[in-house]
């Protein structure tokens, strides 16, 4: 039982990272229907910037993290302004190709820096150990992951339900032309979505850094792991990104803990069931709910 | 009688040509004047270019890849042709799009709040919200319903209410009667006339339903194939034999023409 809860908690913590990384992805998709293939690169850049500011510039880690999030937000904003704005009205596939190109370019640029190879660890900024509750141990980095996600979820819900800008963003997702007809600046909404996506991606990268250290390939891989999470949750749903992320994290944790052992008894000793299970569950679920758990279904009135 | 005689000219469209996607020319020199404080109707068959004219005024040609390539659109003397829609909304011109286009996944009240997105006068917005509920009491009863589940009439009222919350001086309505039962159409036009009279909002309404539009309008234009074919006061248009025959469904000989004949005329005129 203790084992089970322990595995559950580490799954939730990893899932929270996916959730954070997925929030921005969903935001961009929701407002503009663009799939951002450079999300993993945003995650890596955010994390490395935090490292650079903390270690090279010697800022306190939390301040460095905050600055890195803002800088990555700026990067997202810039990407929208420079590359995507010119593509408004072009076929969505061209826009997606641009994000793939962008991912490669950013990757290449990172390989040029010292971060291109090797592992990096943040200076210690959380106390050692963690909280122990009835034999179950929750480490501080895990708490950080869960806390960060909770904070962003609250902020996002407030933003989308209460603020005029947030409601307008949902309006743009619903009907761009109608939103323009009452004066919503669709371009501002897109730029904002990309900026917030940069911010949350950096947050995810920083949490990864605190949990397991920084490595370019590892950080970019998180960007890929986000796909099953956001599709499971429903590509255009903010709560979906969080729930989907946590489900995938827990699935991975349980697969490693329980399935790998079972599989090895029948000769499958590779031990990689955590990479398969998210997709198996995803395929089965999409069978029953093609829009994902919380994805928007078309409202059709006749 | 000219539109000038009805009041100062708020909007003046001068000989505009509009082209979509750089090649499809739709408007071939449209000119019209909208007198302040009045209701002006723009009538005509399918594909005549009515919606395109409204889009040219509101800036909503942008998402359709259209452009005003010549002529001018003067609003209070300033040329607003090809300005971005959010700037035009700020100047006080708001279009209610054809087919209502409410935000289906937003509640009724959220739809209305998006209407006020350009405004900074929060207290006044709350007052205006109450005023919208006063003009459209049906909406007040369904504030929290998702707009996508509202009836066609409720959606049309919502689309108009949403536009009004942007605080327009000039409201552009694109076929508010589309797909609605006659009684509802009457109700909506009566409310529009009431808002015009009480709030002083100038209205330019596009309609295929000439009868109902002329019943509230002070002045009207009839458009065919990208040009204005005829214009005049309501009394003039209502008594014009061609208008009576083709738009009001009354035969020259008097008496009602069969619906089928009117239809076939419309079909001939249709090139969409
Ligand atoms: N986005 C567009 N791209 C290309 N052509 C267009 C576009 N929108 C409209 N058109 C063309 O312009 C012409 C006029 O269309 P418009 O929608 O302005 O007519 P309308 O008078 O509003 O007709 P209806 O009564 O059917 O709404 C039509 O031939 C139509 O095919
Ligand atoms: Mg039309």
């Amino acid at each position: 039982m203790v084992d089970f809860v322990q595995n559950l908690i580490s799954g939730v913590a990893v899932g929270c990272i996916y959730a954070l990384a997925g929030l921005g992805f969903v935001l961009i998709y929701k407002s503009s229907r663009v799939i951002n293939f450079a999300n993993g690169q945003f995650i890596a850049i955010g994390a490395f910037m935090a490292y650079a500011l903390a270690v090279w510039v010697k800022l306190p880690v939390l301040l460095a993290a905050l600055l890195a999030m803002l800088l990555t937000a700026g990067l997202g904003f810039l990407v929208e302004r420079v590359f995507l704005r010119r593509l408004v009205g072009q076929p969505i596939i061209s826009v997606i190709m641009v994000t793939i190109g962008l991912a490669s370019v950013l990757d290449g640029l990172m390989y040029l820096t010292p971060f291109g190879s090797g592992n990096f660890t943040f200076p210690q900024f959380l106390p050692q150990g963690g909280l122990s509750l009835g034999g179950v141990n929750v480490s501080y980095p895990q708490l950080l992951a869960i806390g960060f996600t909770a904070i962003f979820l609250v902020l996002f819900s407030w933003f989308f339900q209460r603020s005029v800008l947030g409601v307008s963003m949902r309006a743009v997702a619903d009907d761009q032309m109608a939103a323009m007809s009452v004066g919503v600046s669709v371009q501002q909404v897109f730029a904002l979505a990309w900026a917030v996506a940069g911010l949350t991606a950096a947050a995810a990268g920083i949490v990864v850094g605190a949990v397991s250290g920084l490595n370019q390939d590892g950080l970019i891989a998180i960007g890929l792991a986000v796909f099953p999470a956001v599709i499971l949750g429903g590509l255009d749903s903010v709560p979906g990104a969080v729930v989907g992320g946590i489900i995938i994290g827990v699935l991975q944790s349980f697969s490693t803990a329980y399935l790998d052992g079972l599989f090895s008894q029948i000769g499958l000793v590779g031990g990689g069931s955590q990479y398969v299970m998210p997709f198996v569950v995803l395929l089965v679920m999409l069978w029953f709910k093609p829009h994902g758990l919380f994805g928007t279904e078309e409202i059709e009135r006749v | 009688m000219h539109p000038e005689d009805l009041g100062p000219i708020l909007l003046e469209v001068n000989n505009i040509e509009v082209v979509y996607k750089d090649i499809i020319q739709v408007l071939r020199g449209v000119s019209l004047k909208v007198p302040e404080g009045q209701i002006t109707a723009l009538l005509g068959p399918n594909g005549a270019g009515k919606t395109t004219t409204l889009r040219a005024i509101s800036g909503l040609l942008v998402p359709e890849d259209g452009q005003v390539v010549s002529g001018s659109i003067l609003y209070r003397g300033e040329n607003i042709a090809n300005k971005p829609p959010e700037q035009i909304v700020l100047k006080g011109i708001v279009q209610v799009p054809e087919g209502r286009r409410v935000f289906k996944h937003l509640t009724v009240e959220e739809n209305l709040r998006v209407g006020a997105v350009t405004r900074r006068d929060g207290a006044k917005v709350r007052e205006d919200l109450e005023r919208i509920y006063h003009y459209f009491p049906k909406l007040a009863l369904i504030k929290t319903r998702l707009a996508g589940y509202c009836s066609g009439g409720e959606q049309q009222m919502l689309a108009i209410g949403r536009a009004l919350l942007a605080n327009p001086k000039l409201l552009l309505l694109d076929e508010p009667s589309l797909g609605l039962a006659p009684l509802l159409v009457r109700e909506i036009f009566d409310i529009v006339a009431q808002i015009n009279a009480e709030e002083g909002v100038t209205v330019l309404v596009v309609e295929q339903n000439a009868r109902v539009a002329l019943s509230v309008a002070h002045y009207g234009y009839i458009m065919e194939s990208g040009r204005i074919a005829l214009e005049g006061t309501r009394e003039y248009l209502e008594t014009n034999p061609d208008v009576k025959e083709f738009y009001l469904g009354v035969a020259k000989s008097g008496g009602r023409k069969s619906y089928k004949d009117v239809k076939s005329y419309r079909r001939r005129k249709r090139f969409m």
Side-chain angles (χ1 to χ4, degrees), chain B residues 20-21 26 46-52 64 98 175 208 272:
Chain B
Y20 285 112
K21 304 182 176 69
V26 172
N46 281 118
K50 306 181 296 295
T51 297
T52 304
E64 305 287 338
E98 187 173 355
E175 293 210 34
Q208 288 207 35
M272 257 177 75

Side-chain angles (χ1 to χ4, degrees), chain B residues 56-236:
Chain B
I57 298 168
S58 65
L60 288 175
L61 286 173
V62 173
E64 305 287 338
D65 198 9
Q67 221 190 340
V68 180
V69 293
S70 76
S72 63
I73 301 173
L74 301 179
Y75 175 69
R76 297 188 194 281
E78 180 193 2
N79 189 1
I80 55 165
N82 297 320
K83 284 228 180 343
E86 60 268 23
Q87 277 184 29
I88 294 179
V89 168
L90 277 173
K91 291 180 196 301
I93 303 181
V94 184
Q95 179 175 355
V96 179
E98 187 173 355
R100 309 186 262 280
R101 306 287 286 263
V102 295
F103 305 118
K104 290 183 186 172
H105 298 95
L106 271 56
T107 64
V108 166
E109 181 138 328
E110 283 173 339
N111 267 270
L112 293 173
R113 282 174 59 208
V114 177
V117 68
T118 55
R119 295 178 57 179
R120 297 287 168 268
D121 48 345
K124 181 80 179 5
V125 169
R126 271 185 294 281
E127 242 174 64
D128 287 355
L129 193 62
E130 288 314 311
R131 210 166 25 233
I132 300 300
Y133 288 136
H134 157 74
Y135 284 114
F136 301 105
K138 280 185 186 164
L139 295 183
L141 304 174
I142 51 170
K143 287 180 192 180
T144 57
R145 186 174 301 171
L146 283 191
Y149 294 119
C150 293
S151 72
E154 290 161 351
Q155 288 189 355
Q156 187 62 61
M157 294 178 189
L158 182 54
I160 296 174
R162 179 180 68 185
L164 284 171
L165 265 173
N167 204 10
K169 306 284 169 294
L170 172 60
L171 183 68
L172 310 175
L173 296 175
D174 198 347
E175 293 210 34
S177 77
L178 196 76
L180 300 183
L183 270 180
L184 258 176
V185 173
R186 190 68 258 163
E187 184 182 346
I188 285 173
F189 271 83
D190 286 343
I191 297 174
V192 168
Q194 192 191 355
I195 292 170
N196 165 258
E198 294 177 9
E199 309 281 331
V201 179
T202 306
V203 179
L204 173 60
V205 58
V206 157
E207 258 305 336
Q208 288 207 35
N209 186 337
R211 184 179 298 274
V212 75
L214 285 179
S215 76
V216 299
H218 306 98
Y219 200 83
Y221 292 86
I222 292 184
M223 203 172 177
E224 274 171 19
S225 314
R227 288 194 177 85
I228 300 293
L230 195 69
E231 65 172 280
T233 58
R234 173 204 5 215
E235 295 74 21
Y236 171 77

